[in-house]
Amino acid sequence: MKKPISKIIDGKRVIVKKPELLAPAGNLEKLKVAVLYGADAVFIGGKEFSLRSLASNFPISEIEEAVKFAHSHGCKVHVTCNIVLHNENLEGIKEYLMALDKAGVDAIIVADINIMMIAKSLNPAFEIHVSTQTSTLNSKAVEFYHDLGVDRVVLGRETSYENLRSIMEQSPVDIEYFIHGAMCINYSGRCMLSNYFSARDANRGGCSQSCRWYYDLFENGNKLNDETMPPFSMSSKDMCLINQIDKLIEIGVDSFKIEGRMKSIHYIATVVSTYRKLIDAYCEDPDNFVMSDFYKDELFKAANRATCEGFFDGSVDENDQLFNLRDEHPTQDFCMRVVAFDHDAMMATVEQRNYFKVGDEVEFFSPKHENRKMTITQIKNSADESVGVANHPMELLQIKVDFPLDVHDMARKLRK
Amino acid sequence: MKFAITPVNSFDPVIFAPEIGIWLVGAPVFSLRTQPNFTYEQIERLNEIKKDKKIYVYVNALIEQHLLEKLQDHLEKLRVMDIDGVIFQDFAVYQLTREMDWNVELVYHPDTLNTNYASLNIYHGLGIGGAFLAREISLAHKQEIKANTALACFVQIHGCEYMAYSKRHLVSNYLKVIDKQVPVGVAGGLTIKANNIDAPSHIYEDEYGTHILSENVLSSIDNLDEYKMFDYGIIDNQFLDDALYCEVVKLYIKAMRDSGDYLEELKELDRSISYYKSFTYEKTVYRIDDVRRIDDEKANQ
């Protein structure tokens, strides 16, 4: 029996099956930001058996710390164990999974059936999520994984809304769906361009992103592109389903996944807090919810590629691809993060993250407050000397502010 | 090892040679990277003439939810024909054959994912009878898998190699951007080549999306002995015309019967084809230290 998605409470319909907001975290700092900015769950990679081998993944000791921190804030931790195993990777899986279990992780994300079965044999309660690397696109394949004892399937990004809705009606397990972030141009797990072009194994985390390279296209040996044209490329715009969240909530999708373990803390804070606010606002009063530009405007304050809605409506075309890799859209620059606040003096101790100076207009954003703008009037260094510019990365500085701030608030420099 | 081939010419006696165990057959729907895609009537006819050969049909598309009903109809048709095996990569195929109570031989062929024996043994325990080993692992790696599994192992020994599969129409999309129109199907003769990488690749589209395959052709005719432990060696026919393909198959049969140096003879069949060993004796890397080492080596070259 499926749980109801909404109920009438005090004469008003409210969403009672609120989707999990699942955020990426490439390191402990990013994890804390994701948790504080509103994620219900975070996914991280361990040092072993995880894709994104180029991200700064977590050793077991840090996973324990991450779990403690996340759990203390009511947030779950999923650990990716999503490489496709080779013979040489077969040793040590059991010990690694036991360590994850002991660390208290809530779920593992798995692509290889061997890891699924080992995890279940170690602890039947171990929650297993089938990775998008399996490119699962239909309810029968979901059933196959259910019969193996898995708890959740992360669908392939090629799944349209109509197909998703049909899968949701039939799925015996939780369904996780990507709502934001980069997209593979090819079916996940089935792309070997990196292997062939750079001897780097895509399915074990070494992907060289060969799809985003420039190519020439030939017809029977004759080059079709010339210098006046963009070169052939297979680069997808990023996915952004900010305008479709209501529909996804209404069909009961269990988890909304944001991609991007390699992304910055500013990106994570911005994206997570925006979706958090949107989901909460919609679920509280879905029938009177009015979508505003605020959410989209907010999202695009973080640097990202141009976006599209992926396969949401069933098809993609040339407008969903990037033919110029420099098509990034940072609308505002992340410049500082609050590490302490003196209420009496109204001085914030901040960590410099990008150049700013006296006279700059900045916008503070926070998991707790609305966005607030002010002009920088005073910056002091650690010797308590006034300085005009903040140009040393990670330097601790003090700035005079017009309103109270909280630790972990961040600021962006507004462009003139 | 027996050969698994595509019976492109049912009048050529080579397809009945004792060295051949399986006919690999593309069907009207859900068959990827197969040439040709036989009609149901043609598959029935092949079934009638197959003698001691087995017919395995490719049902190797990834299946979207809205296509499940069509898949079920397709599997029903194949069941009526009493074919011997189904080659699949989407577990919907596995589930549906089980629901149909159809005891057909199932061969798991996800192109890239069969890279260790422990996982294959689990599939074997689920009733799957065979698996295509990933192409991107070394021969020694494949041998280690076969030595540790009772599952029937299929390995590609000849032909262009699969590299990627996208749901998108990547070529058509690009042609719109550069405002050109050329045929984008398998016969279109389209290739791509990455800047500074000497590895041209076939690219084409069909109703399932875009497919990318190596232009270089894997050949194992001079090291066939090393493959003898496997159950089936696949001689793939993508991008080979039927007459040439039959000659290639004949040469492999000759090499199987009498060991010798047949590489020159193979090259003689079509001098325009570039043969290579692909990953036969090569490994890929993924750990950051190995990636950096390789990048440094390239930079210092």
Side-chain angles (χ1 to χ4, degrees):
Chain A
M1 186 72 176
K2 293 210 173 224
K3 286 184 201 164
I5 292 162
S6 63
K7 272 187 185 170
I8 304 294
I9 297 176
D10 296 334
K12 185 177 87 172
R13 190 172 78 94
V14 293
I15 300 292
V16 290
K17 189 188 174 192
K18 202 186 252 195
E20 169 189 88
L21 181 60
L22 176 59
N27 59 34
L28 201 52
E29 182 191 29
K30 293 175 189 177
L31 177 137
K32 289 179 179 175
V33 166
V35 171
L36 292 168
Y37 276 77
D40 298 306
V42 291
F43 65 100
I44 63 175
K47 289 284 182 194
E48 300 293 330
F49 308 113
S50 172
L51 291 181
R52 298 278 179 271
S53 66
L54 304 185
S56 48
N57 288 331
F58 291 64
I60 289 291
S61 58
E62 271 191 18
I63 292 176
E64 286 169 355
E65 192 182 340
V67 168
K68 268 186 203 158
F69 180 84
H71 284 182
S72 71
H73 289 79
C75 181
K76 292 183 174 179
V77 176
H78 306 172
V79 177
T80 57
C81 302
N82 54 348
I83 70 165
V84 175
L85 296 170
H86 286 202
N87 294 339
E88 66 187 20
N89 306 120
L90 292 173
E91 292 219 350
I93 301 169
K94 193 180 277 188
E95 293 75 14
Y96 183 68
L97 294 176
M98 284 165 71
L100 292 182
D101 198 17
K102 195 171 162 223
V105 305
D106 298 281
I108 55 171
I109 305 167
V110 179
D112 197 298
I113 195 170
N114 188 42
I115 299 184
M116 293 176 207
M117 303 316 278
I118 292 174
K120 277 290 167 194
S121 71
L122 288 174
N123 176 4
F126 213 145
E127 199 167 307
I128 313 286
H129 298 176
V130 176
S131 166
T132 194
Q133 291 300 106
T134 62
S135 282
T136 303
L137 306 173
N138 64 72
S139 54
K140 287 291 165 193
V142 170
E143 257 177 48
F144 169 81
Y145 288 114
H146 167 257
D147 293 349
L148 293 179
V150 310
D151 303 280
R152 176 183 291 186
V153 173
V154 188
L155 294 179
R157 275 166 271 209
E158 291 79 5
T159 309
S160 68
Y161 169 72
E162 285 304 325
N163 281 338
L164 171 67
R165 190 166 66 167
S166 170
I167 292 169
M168 288 308 306
E169 285 166 4
Q170 297 168 58
S171 176
V173 298
D174 279 5
I175 293 295
E176 186 174 305
Y177 192 68
F178 280 90
I179 57 163
H180 196 93
M183 295 180 76
C184 285
I185 199 89
N186 295 311
Y187 280 110
S188 293
R190 307 310 206 273
C191 179
M192 292 286 109
L193 296 178
S194 171
N195 298 50
Y196 279 89
F197 293 149
S198 57
R200 285 166 52 167
D201 189 355
N203 282 347
R204 289 192 294 170
C207 182
S208 57
Q209 302 212 1
S210 306
C211 56
R212 297 194 191 269
W213 295 358
Y214 290 150
Y215 295 77
D216 289 322
L217 176 66
F218 299 85
E219 182 193 30
N220 296 315
N222 301 311
K223 198 162 116 176
L224 290 172
N225 54 302
D226 62 35
E227 307 73 47
T228 65
M229 304 165 184
F232 181 79
S233 179
M234 296 176 274
S235 187
S236 173
K237 287 184 181 175
D238 283 3
M239 178 193 275
C240 173
L241 294 183
I242 193 84
N243 290 324
Q244 308 296 349
I245 292 300
D246 54 343
K247 295 189 189 77
L248 295 172
I249 291 173
E250 293 290 356
I251 59 171
V253 175
D254 300 279
S255 180
F256 290 175
K257 186 170 211 158
I258 297 166
E259 182 278 343
R261 278 193 279 148
M262 313 267 279
K263 297 286 191 183
S264 69
I265 59 166
H266 176 235
Y267 178 92
I268 289 169
T270 303
V271 174
V272 170
S273 71
T274 304
Y275 280 106
R276 173 79 283 147
K277 287 168 188 163
L278 172 56
I279 292 167
D280 288 351
Y282 183 81
C283 290
E284 196 181 305
D285 192 2
D287 295 334
N288 294 303
F289 176 81
V290 179
M291 184 65 182
S292 76
D293 289 340
F294 164 79
Y295 300 104
K296 198 163 186 180
D297 291 346
E298 198 64 13
L299 264 189
F300 288 96
K301 289 174 180 172
N304 52 261
R305 294 187 193 101
T307 61
C308 65
E309 295 196 337
F311 289 91
F312 189 83
D313 73 356
S315 63
V316 294
D317 61 21
E318 72 276 16
N319 298 312
D320 300 299
Q321 279 184 241
L322 288 169
F323 292 98
N324 176 359
L325 295 185
R326 288 171 192 83
D327 196 6
E328 292 224 349
H329 296 284
T331 53
Q332 294 177 10
D333 295 326
F334 173 40
C335 59
M336 69 185 94
R337 178 183 179 184
V338 177
V339 296
F341 184 70
D342 181 339
H343 280 266
D344 296 333
M346 291 296 277
M347 294 291 283
T349 305
V350 301
E351 190 179 70
Q352 194 265 22
R353 289 302 182 110
N354 270 305
Y355 175 90
F356 64 91
K357 64 182 189 307
V358 170
D360 280 346
E361 193 180 6
V362 296
E363 176 183 71
F364 280 93
F365 69 106
S366 160
K368 297 180 183 170
H369 304 287
E370 296 298 309
N371 295 352
R372 290 162 300 179
K373 293 174 186 171
M374 58 164 257
T375 302
I376 303 276
T377 55
Q378 187 181 33
I379 307 172
K380 285 185 173 182
N381 64 17
S382 57
D384 206 30
E385 299 162 340
S386 287
V387 292
V389 297
N391 53 3
H392 300 297
M394 307 301 283
E395 183 180 10
L396 290 180
L397 300 160
Q398 293 210 309
I399 60 165
K400 182 83 178 159
V401 295
D402 302 344
F403 34 73
L405 293 171
D406 288 300
V407 173
H408 303 299
D409 287 357
M410 298 185 196
R412 313 170 175 118
K413 195 163 62 172
L414 298 176
R415 292 191 173 182
K416 290 177 181 165
Chain B
M1 179 178 76
K2 295 242 178 187
F3 294 129
I5 63 140
T6 302
V8 292
N9 180 355
S10 59
F11 297 106
D12 192 324
V14 70
I15 67 170
F16 298 101
E19 286 79 4
I20 288 165
I22 288 178
W23 290 348
L24 301 171
V25 173
V29 288
F30 300 122
S31 295
L32 299 184
R33 298 175 292 280
T34 50
Q35 176 190 316
N37 285 339
F38 293 92
T39 64
Y40 290 116
E41 291 72 26
Q42 287 170 324
I43 296 172
E44 266 182 323
R45 174 73 188 134
L46 287 171
N47 214 20
E48 285 164 13
I49 65 166
K50 68 183 180 184
K51 297 181 185 171
D52 63 335
K53 309 305 169 208
K54 289 183 176 174
I55 293 186
Y56 281 39
V57 176
Y58 282 101
V59 188
N60 59 330
L62 285 167
I63 312 293
E64 292 185 75
Q65 178 72 6
H66 66 279
L67 296 174
L68 281 177
E69 215 169 297
K70 188 174 172 185
L71 173 65
Q72 184 144 18
D73 290 346
H74 179 56
L75 293 173
E76 288 288 357
K77 285 180 181 141
L78 296 177
R79 176 162 73 164
V80 169
M81 287 178 207
D82 199 23
I83 58 159
D84 301 283
V86 167
I87 299 161
F88 75 101
Q89 70 166 317
D90 194 306
F91 285 108
V93 175
Y94 174 92
Q95 287 294 108
L96 287 172
T97 57
R98 290 295 177 267
E99 283 176 20
M100 292 159 66
D101 205 18
W102 181 21
N103 192 25
V104 69
E105 190 80 358
L106 288 174
V107 179
Y108 182 47
H109 180 25
D111 280 302
T112 60
L113 305 180
N114 288 334
T115 52
N116 76 82
Y117 54 81
S119 300
L120 294 190
N121 288 336
I122 293 168
Y123 292 125
H124 199 200
L126 294 172
I128 291 169
F132 279 47
L133 303 192
R135 300 170 186 84
E136 304 78 22
I137 55 177
S138 69
L139 173 59
H141 187 159
K142 289 173 187 161
Q143 289 169 333
E144 188 185 3
I145 291 175
K146 180 57 206 169
N148 288 281
T149 183
L151 201 72
C153 288
F154 292 66
V155 290
Q156 184 171 340
I157 58 172
H158 188 95
C160 299
E161 295 181 290
Y162 165 89
M163 294 164 71
Y165 163 28
S166 175
K167 188 186 165 187
R168 299 166 195 249
H169 293 280
L170 297 173
V171 181
S172 300
N173 290 348
Y174 178 65
L175 290 173
K176 280 185 219 158
V177 170
I178 65 169
D179 197 21
K180 289 204 173 184
Q181 286 186 332
V182 297
V184 296
V186 66
L190 295 175
T191 52
I192 53 170
K193 186 179 167 301
N195 293 354
N196 304 317
I197 302 280
D198 188 22
S201 313
H202 293 288
I203 187 165
Y204 69 91
E205 294 178 8
D206 61 18
E207 65 177 302
Y208 298 100
T210 304
H211 309 274
I212 303 174
L213 295 95
S214 68
E215 189 178 62
N216 289 330
V217 173
L218 170 72
S219 160
S220 310
I221 201 151
D222 54 342
N223 61 325
L224 212 45
D225 280 355
E226 296 183 277
Y227 285 92
K228 282 191 172 162
M229 71 186 300
F230 297 103
D231 301 275
Y232 297 102
I234 302 153
I235 303 174
D236 194 273
N237 70 322
Q238 275 257 284
F239 301 106
L240 290 183
D241 74 51
D242 293 351
L244 177 60
Y245 179 65
C246 288
E247 292 307 309
V248 169
V249 173
K250 284 172 194 166
L251 206 51
Y252 270 89
I253 289 170
K254 205 168 153 189
M256 181 75 104
R257 289 176 184 172
D258 303 302
S259 53
D261 183 3
Y262 295 96
L263 186 57
E264 266 313 304
E265 232 176 297
L266 180 70
K267 287 179 180 170
E268 202 57 47
L269 293 175
D270 186 338
R271 282 283 167 197
S272 69
I273 295 174
S274 171
Y275 291 105
Y276 77 151
K277 288 293 177 199
S278 190
F279 291 97
T280 307
Y281 305 113
E282 302 287 336
K283 275 187 161 187
T284 52
V285 298
Y286 66 104
R287 290 185 189 278
I288 191 161
D289 292 345
D290 294 327
V291 168
R292 284 183 182 142
R293 177 176 50 75
I294 286 186
D295 287 349
D296 288 347
E297 282 169 9
K298 274 188 189 156
N300 293 328
Q301 271 174 8

